[in-house]
């Protein structure tokens, strides 16, 4: 189930990797100007629309984000115009 946490929440994973836990929570839960990723239909189906980010975040989430997305980050940054 743990890999599904990261695969199911790519925006949250990128936010965590690039800007840390606080930004990941914001991306997942949203606020008055930002629709939370947890409101996306696929996320609602997988995790429910009200699941707090803290239930998804943890040591394993950080490890998976680093292992899976970390190697892609320099390549994506290098490809930007």
């Amino acid at each position: 189930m743990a890999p599904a946490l990261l695969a199911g929440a790519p925006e949250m994973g990128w936010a965590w990797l690039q800007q840390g836990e606080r930004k990941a929570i914001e991306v997942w839960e949203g606020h008055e100007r930002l629709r939370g990723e947890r409101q996306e239909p696929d996320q609602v189906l997988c995790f429910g629309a009200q699941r707090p980010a803290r239930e998804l975040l943890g040591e394993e989430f950080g490890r998976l984000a680093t292992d899976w997305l970390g190697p892609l980050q320099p390549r994506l940054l290098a490809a930007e115009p």
Side-chain angles (χ1 to χ4, degrees), residues 8-10 13-14 16-17 22 25 32 34 37 42 47-48 50 53 55 61 63 65 73 78 80:
W14 280 113
W16 184 91
L17 185 65
R22 188 175 189 175
I25 291 169
E32 63 278 349
L34 175 70
E37 186 177 16
D42 55 333
F47 304 110
Q50 299 305 313
E55 288 184 12
F61 183 92
R63 182 184 59 78
Q73 190 173 16
E80 289 181 357

Side-chain angles (χ1 to χ4, degrees), residues 2 11-12 16-17 20-22 27 31 34-36 39-40 42-43 47 49 56 60-61 70-71 75 78 80:
E11 292 177 36
M12 183 180 170
W16 184 91
L17 185 65
E21 185 174 294
R22 188 175 189 175
V27 166
H31 53 72
L34 175 70
R35 180 178 184 205
Q39 298 300 317
E40 297 296 325
D42 55 333
Q43 304 303 342
F47 304 110
L56 300 176
E60 190 166 19
F61 183 92
R75 293 178 186 195
E80 289 181 357

